[in-house]
Amino acid sequence: MQALPSILLFAAICSVVCGIQHPDWHKVDISPDPEHIVKIGVALRQQNVDLLTETALSVSDPDSPSYGKYLSMDEITEIVSATPTTIKAVTNWLLDNKAISIDLVNNRDFIFAALPLSSLESMVNVKMHHFENIHDGRVITRSSQTYSIPSYLSEHIDLITGISSFPMESRRKSHKPSPPTHDSSSNAPSLISVLSRGGPNVAVKFTPICKNGQITKTTPPCSESPPTVSHTLISFTSASPAISEHFNYTEVPTCSNINNAIVCEITNLTVVYYHNYNVHVTQIYSDGSESETSSWKWPVVSTPPVVPQTISQMYRVPPNYVIENPKVTQAVVEFEQQYFSTSDLQLFFEEMGIPGANTPVTVIGPNNQTDAGGEANLDIQYIMAVAPGAPTTFWSIYANSSVEIDDILKWAVAMSNTTNPPLVNSISYGMSENNVDKYLGDGYLARSDIEFRKLAGRGITIIIADGDTGAGDLGALPMGNPTCTTLHPDWPSQSPWVTAIGTTYITPWAEPICYKSIDCDGLPLGEVSTSMDNGLFWTTGGGFSNTQSQPSYQSSFVSSYLSNPSLLPPSSVFNASGRGYPDAVAIGHNCMVCIEGEFIPVDGTSASAPIFAGIVSLLNDVRMKNGKGPLGFLNPLLYKIAQNTPQAFYDVTVGYNRCGAYDWIPTCCEFGYHAGVGWDAIGGLGTPNFEILAKEVLNY
Ligand SMILES: *[C@@H]1O[C@H](CO)[C@@H](O)[C@H](O)[C@H]1NC(C)=O
Ligand SMILES: *[C@@H]1O[C@H](CO)[C@@H](O)[C@H](O)[C@H]1NC(C)=O
Ligand SMILES: *[C@@H]1O[C@H](CO)[C@@H](O)[C@H](O)[C@H]1NC(C)=O
Ligand SMILES: *[C@@H]1O[C@H](CO)[C@@H](O)[C@H](O)[C@H]1NC(C)=O
Ligand SMILES: *[C@@H]1O[C@H](CO)[C@@H](O)[C@H](O)[C@H]1NC(C)=O
Ligand SMILES: *[C@@H]1O[C@H](CO)[C@@H](O)[C@H](O)[C@H]1NC(C)=O
């Protein structure tokens, strides 16, 4: 509580840390015009949230008599709408503060208002500033302070967005590498990355170290303190005891100056598909001497490129399945000015030989085709390739420089305000659970969760990528966390009201025994969770929420995982009573995406989410062909099918998500979650078997 000169008592809505400056947004010195119009969103206190929760669950629970009896927009309004008293109190407050527009949504639980900046500042007791995005120069108007509202309104308002909330970022936003640090007592090269993408070869990147142990600032490397680095010896040794394989390459590295650091690269080092290698790198100086050797801490594996047919084959979708029912709708949701290109989409369909190339795409929000991004192209190409023919919406939530907010809550509210929203929605955006309220405003996480329940009640499926930086959600604030004394669940994949999806890659080396004593080369293809400890250059998410408790639909699976301590981190670093995620996984490594006319291998839970979403659209098609409704909120059904018919999922039993990346540099927590038999907090229930699921979904 805080007293103000106007004698009104104000209730602080944000916690003390609310409004910490987002590291990607810098305050601009020029003060905003006091008459500048600012748009805010006011989340009104809803009624009957318990009834909403019960209803959302019963229409999604295959054992309930109301299974599939989804509610309309108006029926949701009847449950949750704010009271007339609340609406009146908030509206009057906004009008008293010179609001020029007040838009109450159809559910009567959210108000969007526009008002002069000076009125807003006095109304919620903050000072607003312009903030500029360090990547693209966009300017938004926000406050770095905690906002507060008159105490008489605290029973009417959950939170206000657009004041101290900063925009959501894509999972795949690239970060600049940090300058290398080096201990001059060694002249071993400083390894930056050793990885394989899209083919049977490995690329090695390193900062060269001179013979005297100093980092070089020149190219050719070490010309300032000769001898120069003339060659590099890269030594590959099988990481699997079952195979004895060892070979060397001696190559001339290609070196360049990137952000005042010399980075050398050697690409196209041919290796054998699916084999796990330990890699050692030694520099050879121009006087013929060798440096000390650096060993990459993780094994490295290469696997073939993935195209839509790979996915259909792995998940047993009949070839050339095309959806003809216009009601089987789906969408990809985008933030942060991620746009897709129709010409790339067209070329992707042609080159991949996928039917349904003329499927219409409905665009909601802006789509600047000349500024197409990797995330948006990936999402739309893969959801449409897996479910060709399904009418697809590209739903882009725009942050218009100074006036608009962009966030997942805003999307959810817009969905609820729509009579016939897309049935299946894939979202590859998110952040660390512990940072949500700190950066987006106190109450943001809880309110988003209620909005997800409203959509569940409507029969809408929400698929969320569960993050690319392991169980620690390692990474820069606010999307990730720089350290991991405890593990960090990811939001919104940790919500019990969404289907959280992690990532696998394809390999015949898919059983734990392969990493011990047998050569698995000849086995049928299987899948392994994407992780640095299993040969890839990034790690899929997974874990347990600290804010949402375990939903009953997953309790038998999660209890049995929790009863196996050898797969778990110590109980002090995670919350065993929380909602466990992911629910399922799908391929997400080496997916070939068409970007600016070229095919590029793309990785990420960002790929797995639209792929899984496409499978759900196919299942919706099967159901509708048989006179049944869409699947809606999937989880109760998914776990029930897994219980009764385990073959409906391919169980991923290899994986460990302790690692991640900080500033694009691989980093590991001490602990993570291991994959195992049955559900686990990295591979979920496994990957879908469409053939079996298509039969199972007709039983309910
Ligand atoms: C590869 O290089 C290492 C280090 O110089 C050497 O010990 C090893 O014998 C070489 N292996 C082959 C197969 O040439
Ligand atoms: C990569 O190496 C293979 C075999 O050594 C070679 O055939 C191919 O042309 C190389 N590709 C590039 C892009 O250098
Ligand atoms: C679309 O993107 C291009 C390339 O970034 C930019 O030059 C152009 O101004 C953008 N157009 C609009 C309408 O924002
Ligand atoms: C963006 O904001 C400006 C005012 O700052 C407005 O003139 C323009 O119409 C807005 N654009 C969109 C697409 O909303
Ligand atoms: C909600 O939908 C109505 C039409 O039913 C529209 O007029 C209004 O602008 C929408 N509000 C928001 C915030 O999308
Ligand atoms: C663990 O999760 C429960 C249920 O979500 C929550 O009430 C509790 O505060 C969490 N504990 C910690 C230490 O975060």
Side-chain angles (χ1 to χ4, degrees):
M1 298 284 243
Q2 185 183 0
L4 277 188
S6 61
I7 320 176
L8 275 177
L9 277 180
F10 277 66
I13 285 211
C14 253
S15 56
V16 272
V17 274
C18 164
I20 296 169
Q21 193 173 320
H22 189 304
D24 287 352
W25 295 92
H26 282 184
K27 199 192 267 182
V28 178
D29 283 339
I30 307 152
S31 292
D33 176 0
E35 295 308 308
H36 177 82
I37 298 298
V38 185
K39 287 187 184 171
I40 58 168
V42 185
L44 306 177
R45 182 70 41 84
Q46 292 152 315
Q47 300 184 79
N48 306 317
V49 172
D50 290 346
L51 175 61
L52 171 71
T53 306
E54 271 167 42
T55 309
L57 198 56
S58 67
V59 299
S60 314
D61 176 2
D63 289 334
S64 152
S66 9
Y67 182 61
K69 296 191 175 130
Y70 303 126
L71 279 67
S72 67
M73 181 165 75
D74 290 345
E75 286 165 334
I76 295 283
T77 306
E78 274 173 37
I79 298 177
V80 300
S81 124
T83 63
T85 314
T86 292
I87 296 169
K88 193 157 173 244
V90 174
T91 306
N92 286 342
W93 181 55
L94 292 165
L95 288 173
D96 289 348
N97 286 284
K98 307 198 184 99
I100 58 163
S101 75
I102 294 178
D103 178 10
L104 177 65
V105 297
N106 291 320
N107 284 156
R108 304 177 66 79
D109 58 357
F110 217 98
I111 284 176
F112 290 95
L115 67 177
L117 181 130
S118 55
S119 310
L120 177 70
E121 287 183 332
S122 61
M123 174 177 137
V124 295
N125 194 29
V126 293
K127 183 92 189 87
M128 303 289 280
H129 300 278
H130 290 319
F131 289 87
E132 185 178 14
N133 188 291
I134 61 171
H135 304 290
D136 61 14
R138 240 166 352 116
V139 176
I140 58 174
T141 308
R142 291 291 189 281
S143 177
S144 55
Q145 291 165 300
T146 300
Y147 73 89
S148 47
I149 57 167
S151 50
Y152 78 93
L153 285 174
S154 61
E155 63 178 296
H156 301 300
I157 294 177
D158 278 355
L159 85 152
I160 305 179
T161 61
I163 300 173
S164 40
S165 43
F166 285 82
M168 190 61 56
E169 279 178 351
S170 156
R171 299 260 187 231
R172 300 214 50 78
K173 187 149 206 142
S174 58
H175 289 271
K176 287 197 191 101
S178 297
T181 53
H182 172 67
D183 158 15
S184 64
S185 69
S186 160
N187 63 9
S190 175
L191 297 182
I192 299 169
S193 65
V194 177
L195 57 87
S196 172
R197 303 193 83 158
N201 52 62
V202 166
V204 174
K205 229 185 234 183
F206 63 96
T207 299
I209 305 297
C210 303
K211 195 166 178 177
N212 65 7
Q214 298 300 313
I215 290 185
T216 183
K217 297 255 184 303
T218 59
T219 52
C222 304
S223 44
E224 81 272 50
S225 54
T228 56
V229 173
S230 63
H231 290 77
T232 308
L233 173 77
I234 309 100
S235 166
F236 289 85
T237 310
S238 171
S240 315
I243 291 195
S244 89
E245 206 182 347
H246 170 60
F247 48 88
N248 288 341
Y249 285 99
T250 306
E251 304 287 323
V252 177
T254 306
C255 303
S256 53
N257 189 324
I258 298 173
N259 301 323
N260 286 326
I262 303 298
V263 173
C264 295
E265 195 169 17
I266 299 158
T267 56
N268 201 24
L269 298 163
T270 307
V271 295
V272 179
Y273 273 145
Y274 307 124
H275 285 190
N276 284 256
Y277 296 100
N278 291 321
V279 178
H280 309 279
V281 183
T282 311
Q283 300 162 130
I284 300 173
Y285 298 111
S286 53
D287 65 359
S289 61
E290 290 186 2
S291 71
E292 289 163 69
T293 297
S294 283
S295 301
W296 186 243
K297 289 189 205 128
W298 300 274
V300 176
V301 67
S302 78
T303 63
V306 165
V307 296
Q309 288 78 356
T310 323
I311 298 165
S312 311
Q313 195 177 32
M314 287 302 288
Y315 299 154
R316 301 192 203 289
V317 179
N320 298 325
Y321 190 120
V322 177
I323 292 171
E324 278 156 11
N325 184 344
K327 290 192 172 146
V328 182
T329 53
Q330 59 185 11
V332 292
V333 184
E334 306 291 336
F335 301 87
E336 282 287 294
Q337 276 70 6
Q338 271 286 336
Y339 302 131
F340 84 101
S341 147
T342 29
S343 60
D344 283 343
L345 181 62
Q346 203 65 34
L347 187 60
F348 178 81
F349 269 88
E350 280 163 24
E351 299 271 316
M352 295 289 183
I354 300 164
N358 297 320
T359 308
V361 176
T362 304
V363 175
I364 295 180
N367 186 45
N368 183 352
Q369 302 236 8
T370 55
D371 192 18
E375 175 75 62
N377 268 352
L378 161 71
D379 293 350
I380 197 143
Q381 289 173 19
Y382 274 82
I383 200 172
M384 292 186 75
V386 174
T392 302
T393 296
F394 181 84
W395 195 311
S396 143
I397 301 283
Y398 185 52
N400 179 10
S401 60
S402 54
V403 289
E404 306 213 358
I405 55 166
D406 63 0
D407 50 46
I408 287 175
L409 175 58
K410 184 180 183 184
W411 164 78
V413 171
M415 284 281 288
S416 279
N417 195 48
T418 305
T419 315
N420 281 307
L423 290 175
V424 178
N425 298 271
S426 176
I427 298 184
S428 295
Y429 295 77
M431 62 192 290
S432 199
E433 181 191 60
N434 60 319
N435 292 330
V436 174
D437 282 12
K438 281 184 203 165
Y439 287 88
L440 297 175
D442 238 6
Y444 191 99
L445 188 150
R447 180 59 183 245
S448 301
D449 207 64
I450 297 176
E451 297 300 321
F452 298 152
R453 277 173 246 179
K454 284 163 59 181
L455 292 170
R458 298 276 300 276
I460 302 302
T461 307
I462 307 175
I463 305 291
I464 308 272
D466 80 352
D468 298 354
T469 54
D473 240 18
L474 279 159
L477 288 166
M479 314 312 284
N481 295 278
T483 59
C484 46
T485 41
T486 65
L487 296 175
H488 298 107
D490 185 75
W491 176 86
S493 51
Q494 47 61 281
S495 169
W497 297 95
V498 307
T499 301
I501 300 297
T503 298
T504 62
Y505 73 90
I506 302 170
T507 175
W509 292 65
E511 297 300 331
I513 188 77
C514 301
Y515 299 87
K516 296 192 178 117
S517 51
I518 70 162
D519 171 350
C520 290
D521 268 354
L523 296 188
L525 291 176
E527 288 170 71
V528 161
S529 280
T530 300
S531 89
M532 298 207 59
D533 283 311
N534 289 99
L536 292 205
F537 51 91
W538 63 282
T539 304
T540 187
F544 293 84
S545 171
N546 285 319
T547 65
Q548 314 282 338
S549 50
Q550 184 191 89
S552 61
Y553 58 71
Q554 66 171 192
S555 61
S556 64
F557 284 89
V558 174
S559 310
S560 102
Y561 181 59
L562 291 171
S563 69
N564 199 339
S566 67
L567 302 177
L568 299 170
S571 58
S572 57
V573 305
F574 79 105
N575 195 333
S577 67
R579 131 73 159 164
Y581 72 99
D583 300 297
V585 287
I587 293 162
H589 171 55
N590 274 349
C591 297
M592 300 307 290
V593 175
C594 183
I595 301 170
E596 290 176 26
E598 288 190 29
F599 285 80
I600 293 167
V602 174
D603 271 58
T605 53
S606 278
S608 308
I611 288 169
F612 194 88
I615 298 284
V616 179
S617 287
L618 295 172
L619 294 170
N620 273 347
D621 188 54
V622 169
R623 270 181 66 92
M624 290 193 204
K625 271 186 186 147
N626 287 274
K628 291 176 183 284
L631 289 168
F633 169 52
L634 287 176
N635 296 3
L637 177 69
L638 287 186
Y639 286 88
K640 190 172 177 64
I641 292 176
Q643 189 84 60
N644 295 341
T645 317
Q647 324 82 275
F649 295 89
Y650 170 87
D651 190 6
V652 177
T653 56
V654 176
Y656 187 30
N657 62 8
R658 73 185 172 114
C659 292
Y662 183 52
D663 251 5
W664 227 226
I665 311 274
T667 313
C668 293
C669 299
E670 202 179 342
F671 306 103
Y673 304 93
H674 285 278
V677 172
W679 183 90
D680 51 71
I682 170 167
L685 295 170
T687 61
N689 180 323
F690 176 78
E691 209 169 70
I692 299 175
L693 286 169
K695 292 192 186 100
E696 289 294 318
V697 297
L698 295 179
N699 293 336
Y700 306 97

